[in-house]
Amino acid sequence: MTLAHSLAARIAADGPMRLDAWMAACNSAYYGGEDPLGRDFTTAPEISQMFGEMIGGWIGDLWLRAEKPPLHIAELGPGHGSLMADALRLLGRLPGFMGSAGLHMVETSLALRSIQRARLAGWAAQWHDRVDQLPDDRPLVIIANEFFDALPIRQRRSGKELHVDFAEGLFMPKWLPAAGADAEWSEAAHAIMGHLAGRIAAQGGALLIIDYGYGGQVIESVPLDTLQAVHRGEMVSPFYDPGAHDLTAHVDFSALAAVAHGRGLAIHGPVAQGALLGDLGIAARAEALKLGKPPHEAGSITAALLRLTAPQQMGAIFRAMAVTAPGWPVPAGFGMAASGDSGA
C-alpha cells in the first residue's frame, strides 16, 4: 500500500489529519526512501567544504576555551555526513582532541546512514534514532544544521486549526474549529529543544542551530504560514503526492531560545549565517583554497563563498543561534550578540 492510500484510509477512518501528523508521516516516508539530497534541495555542507571546516573550527575553539574537557560531538540530521567529515578533517589536526571526543549521529534514514558511514569511514562514530539516546556521561557539543525546519508544525488561524482532508481523489487543506490565538508552532521542536537543553544544563556543552527562520533579537512580524514543499528545487503544494516532497517550515528561534533559557542556558544570537561564517574566517579560507587553482576552479570557490554568505542568497535568511551550559565560554562568531535572556 502506498503512503497516499494509507493516509486516505486513515482519514476515512478517523477524519481529517492534523497538520503535524500529516507532516510527520510525509517526511518519515520522504527521508526513509531514496536519498533526497541534491535531488530536491542542496544544503550548505554540500555547497562547499568550507562550511563544515568553519563548524569544525567553531567546535575546536570552544573546546580549547572550555579547557579541553572530554566530550561527545553529535550532529542531528547529518545528511550525507559532509559537514562532519569536513569538520573532523580540521579537528583531527588539533592535538588531543580526537582522543577525548566521542562522535554521534542522530539519523533515522537507513539510506542516509549508509552514505554517512562511508563518508565517515575511519572514525569511531555511533548512530542513534533519537536525541534521548545520546550518551549522558560527558559534555555534549551538538550541531543542528537544517534540522529543526523539517519538524512537524501546527497552524491555527481565526479560531480554526489546519488539518488535511481527502475527497474526490485529492488531499486538501481543511480548517476545523479550535480555540486559541493565531499561531504557527512546533510541539516537536519544543520537545526536542527541551530535552537537549536539559541534557546540556546537566552535562555541560553547547548546541549550535543553523536554519532558515525568524525571531530572536530582531523585531519582526511573526509569520502564520511558512509551510512549504520542494520538489526538484521548485515549490509545490504540501498536500500533493505525500512522501514525494520535502516539507519544511521556518524555525521560530525565539521559541527555541525561550525553552533553553528556561533550562538555565545562555543564549547567543541568532545572527545571520553570513555574519557567523565571516567571523569564523571563511573569506580567508576561500582565498587559501584558490591558491594555485585554475580560473574556473577559483571561480567556483568564490561562487560557493557568495552562496553561503551573501545576504541575497543563504547569508541572511539562514540564521545561527548557540546555547551554552553555565560556565561555558561565549562561542566564536557570536561575541556581543550573546545574551543570557535573548528571546525569553
Side-chain angles (χ1 to χ4, degrees), residues 125 209 226 257 326:
I209 301 170
T226 68

Side-chain angles (χ1 to χ4, degrees), residues 130-149:
R130 305 185 310 274
V131 296
D132 61 6
Q133 295 173 335
L134 291 171
D136 59 6
D137 60 329
R138 300 179 187 177
L140 289 166
V141 175
I142 304 167
I143 307 299
N145 178 61
E146 293 196 53
F147 171 78
F148 280 94
D149 66 285

Side-chain angles (χ1 to χ4, degrees), residues 36-108:
L37 297 184
R39 170 168 57 90
D40 292 330
F41 59 92
T42 302
T43 60
E46 306 303 324
I47 293 171
S48 171
Q49 70 184 68
M50 296 185 289
F51 185 85
E53 290 171 346
M54 295 302 104
I55 303 306
W58 186 90
I59 296 170
D61 174 78
L62 186 67
W63 177 71
L64 288 171
R65 291 190 291 116
E67 300 183 355
K68 305 180 182 180
L71 51 75
H72 293 292
I73 307 171
E75 185 178 0
L76 312 183
H80 285 169
S82 301
L83 184 157
M84 193 55 66
D86 293 332
L88 290 172
R89 188 172 58 253
L90 185 148
L91 290 168
R93 303 185 190 127
L94 194 59
F97 182 85
M98 296 312 299
S100 68
L103 178 60
H104 302 267
M105 316 293 275
V106 179
E107 178 61 71
T108 58

